[in-house]
Amino acid sequence: MSSEQLAAVTAITRAPAPRPAARASADQLDTTTAEQKAAAAKAPETGETKLGNTVASLGDPTEGGFWIKTPLVKARGVGRIRNPENGKSAKVDLIPLDGPASAGSQVSLPALQLIGVSLTDLPTIEVFKS
């Protein structure tokens, strides 16, 4: 293999090392406090409207807080997500996500952890608007 061919292959197969933040653990990326987690886990105090069910995946783990980006909402708001498998729920910011209502949603790392979902699972969760 010539040096030119080797350089061409190397340009495709090599990449720089990930930034240190990309190698952080879930605990290091979760910047929510114990008080925030306790408040987010509380049962709703007012009436809610169920918006529907959605398949949840982990959103950008470097975006802090409790949120869901979902096509089930057209405007920002406050709501709750619930894991029907174990009944755990989390108060979240509802953030619109382009796509059909049947498309999946992206959920923050702390919110997924609070409702007892593995970060690699794709569970179906319930979404409510406060």
Side-chain angles (χ1 to χ4, degrees):
M1 185 178 280
S2 72
S3 61
E4 291 173 350
Q5 290 171 319
L6 181 59
V9 169
T10 300
I12 295 170
T13 60
R14 302 277 169 90
R19 296 183 319 272
R23 294 185 301 232
S25 71
D27 287 339
Q28 291 169 323
L29 290 170
D30 181 359
T31 58
T32 58
T33 65
E35 292 80 16
Q36 287 173 306
K37 290 175 184 161
K42 283 186 181 178
E45 298 171 3
T46 60
E48 297 179 314
T49 302
K50 184 173 180 178
L51 300 175
N53 295 337
T54 187
V55 174
S57 66
L58 175 63
D60 183 348
T62 63
E63 287 184 44
F66 298 97
W67 50 263
I68 181 171
K69 294 179 182 177
T70 180
L72 296 175
V73 297
K74 300 299 178 209
R76 287 187 76 113
V78 177
R80 184 172 62 93
I81 58 174
R82 181 177 175 277
N83 180 352
E85 294 292 317
N86 60 20
K88 293 182 178 182
S89 68
K91 189 177 297 182
V92 295
D93 286 328
L94 301 172
I95 304 169
L97 181 67
D98 287 337
S102 60
S105 301
Q106 300 171 9
V107 181
S108 71
L109 182 145
L112 283 180
Q113 290 180 319
L114 194 59
I115 65 171
V117 171
S118 169
L119 301 180
T120 58
D121 285 350
L122 295 172
T124 297
I125 61 170
E126 300 169 326
V127 180
F128 301 87
K129 182 175 176 128
S130 297

